Amino acid sequence: LNYMQNIETTRMVPIIWLGDLNVAHQSLDVYNDGAKHLLKQAGCTLAEKESFSRQLSSGYFDALRTLHPEARGQYTYWSQRTKAREPNRGLRLDYFVCSQSMLDDGNGRNNPLVRDSYVLADQLGSDHCPVVLE
């Protein structure tokens, strides 16, 4: 977080942090939210979720969840061991986290650099799928 903030401040450029961040941040990011074992599962622990929340509250936003706050089933990882992909029993672990300055402020004073974000769940070849940022 400090590194990203330093780059943003010293170089005066917005930041995009992307990839497999290994955290299913919100309940919508887990197919079986509420399952007791999730509290101990990597990527789903309270400590991981709280850490990610702190990072987002420091001037960044989760592009997909910000632009599609109620979107369900937008998972980016499925266990191959349990053949979870076809029934879409997954987790959203892959993100585009962007500087707040890249999002329209809602008052027309800022031309948004981020217009959309979505997953390509039908793209096969891995236990993860690509995530797109427009």
Side-chain angles (χ1 to χ4, degrees), residues 42-114:
C44 298
T45 68
L46 187 57
E48 292 165 316
K49 292 179 180 191
E50 288 174 349
S51 175
F52 195 65
S53 290
R54 282 192 302 277
Q55 293 168 15
L56 292 176
S57 68
S58 298
Y60 302 95
F61 68 95
D62 167 1
L64 187 139
R65 193 54 65 209
T66 298
L67 297 167
H68 306 284
E70 301 299 322
R72 295 186 175 280
Q74 300 301 299
Y75 309 126
T76 63
Y77 165 81
W78 302 265
S79 170
Q80 291 179 333
R81 182 180 51 81
T82 62
K83 297 181 170 77
R85 192 163 193 153
E86 188 174 322
N88 201 27
R89 293 188 316 247
L91 304 170
R92 187 168 75 98
L93 301 177
D94 301 83
Y95 294 82
F96 282 99
V97 175
C98 307
S99 296
Q100 195 65 42
S101 64
M102 299 181 78
L103 192 63
D104 186 8
D105 66 5
N107 296 316
R109 295 185 299 240
N110 184 14
N111 290 324
L113 297 174
V114 173

Side-chain angles (χ1 to χ4, degrees), residues 33-45:
D33 183 54
K36 291 180 183 180
H37 74 279
L38 288 177
L39 296 175
K40 297 177 184 175
Q41 181 177 323
C44 298
T45 68

Side-chain angles (χ1 to χ4, degrees), residues 106-127:
N107 296 316
R109 295 185 299 240
N110 184 14
N111 290 324
L113 297 174
V114 173
R115 293 178 182 86
D116 201 4
S117 184
Y118 49 92
V119 301
L120 298 176
D122 293 334
Q123 182 70 45
L124 302 177
S126 171
D127 55 353

